[in-house]
Amino acid sequence: CKTTLGRDLSMVDKQLFRGFEYEPYLGGYKITDIREDYEPNSATLYIPDGTTAIGSDVFSCAEFYSIVLPKSIIEIEEGAFAWCESLRLIEIPSECRVPLKVLYNAFAETQIERLTLPSTLEEIDDDAFQGCELLKSVNFAFLTSLRRIGANAFEGCASLSSVTISKRCQVIKDSAFKG
């Protein structure tokens, strides 16, 4: 059941969430779809504060250059930004205080060149960044919460020449950084 903006949001929130369908999720809102009347006003997609999750495939194939996620984000679901061929930059605030999970195929086949990830990142699921051919380096040394990197998480990241991982990462699945 998808809900468009309703009485439960303040007037400020209604402006921030205009153009999105959402549902309550873990003390905030999960963006579940883009409304037909949504018109981005820049090449950067700013996800509203109060968003705790981005639903499966919501922005897949969208034409954004960069995405700025709020500090309230907890989960980026399967394929949320997959196949966004213009996507070069993702920013997740370092002051993110909640555990974060990047799920299956969340950013697969994008043109990401650089990642900014919070220290609360716990898990990078299978194929999360698979096929990001322009991604040059990944530094997880300061990510003390990162416990798992899934299978094929960075497979096909042809430009990836440097990877640094914290000693606290307990599981790195098969082919996580393959070719």
Side-chain angles (χ1 to χ4, degrees):
C1 173
K2 292 182 180 176
T3 310
T4 54
L5 300 176
R7 288 180 235 96
D8 53 334
L9 290 175
S10 71
M11 289 306 287
V12 170
D13 288 340
K14 284 182 182 182
Q15 282 294 3
L16 292 174
F17 281 88
R18 189 183 71 225
F20 300 119
E21 293 184 358
Y22 76 97
E23 60 189 36
Y25 187 77
L26 298 175
Y29 302 98
K30 177 200 292 189
I31 294 176
T32 57
D33 208 349
I34 302 173
R35 293 178 49 169
E36 288 181 27
D37 62 347
Y38 178 69
E39 294 182 26
N41 58 3
S42 75
T44 299
L45 172 64
Y46 294 93
I47 301 295
D49 200 22
T51 301
T52 50
I54 307 294
S56 296
D57 301 314
V58 171
F59 296 103
S60 65
C61 300
E63 294 295 322
F64 295 104
Y65 178 82
S66 62
I67 296 169
V68 179
L69 297 169
K71 63 184 176 185
S72 58
I73 199 78
I74 296 171
E75 208 169 75
I76 301 169
E77 293 186 356
E78 299 172 2
F81 297 98
W83 304 282
C84 292
E85 293 179 0
S86 300
L87 185 58
R88 299 274 193 273
L89 174 65
I90 301 164
E91 290 186 35
I92 304 172
S94 59
E95 60 270 3
C96 210
R97 289 187 176 80
V98 293
L100 176 66
K101 294 182 181 179
V102 178
L103 298 182
Y104 176 80
N105 254 351
F107 295 98
E109 302 291 335
T110 62
Q111 300 301 309
I112 296 170
E113 297 172 355
R114 148 179 98 111
L115 292 173
T116 303
L117 299 169
S119 61
T120 56
L121 181 66
E122 285 187 340
E123 179 178 344
I124 299 173
D125 203 2
D126 300 348
D127 301 310
F129 295 94
Q130 182 268 332
C132 294
E133 295 178 353
L134 300 180
L135 186 60
K136 294 177 179 81
S137 68
V138 179
N139 186 345
F140 298 137
F142 67 97
L143 298 181
T144 56
S145 296
L146 183 61
R147 301 286 183 252
R148 180 183 179 278
I149 299 173
N152 308 311
F154 293 90
E155 179 186 17
C157 296
S159 298
L160 191 59
S161 61
S162 173
V163 177
T164 307
I165 301 171
S166 168
K167 292 178 184 176
R168 294 187 184 193
C169 185
Q170 299 166 349
V171 177
I172 300 174
K173 297 294 249 178
D174 292 342
S175 303
F177 296 95
K178 181 180 177 182

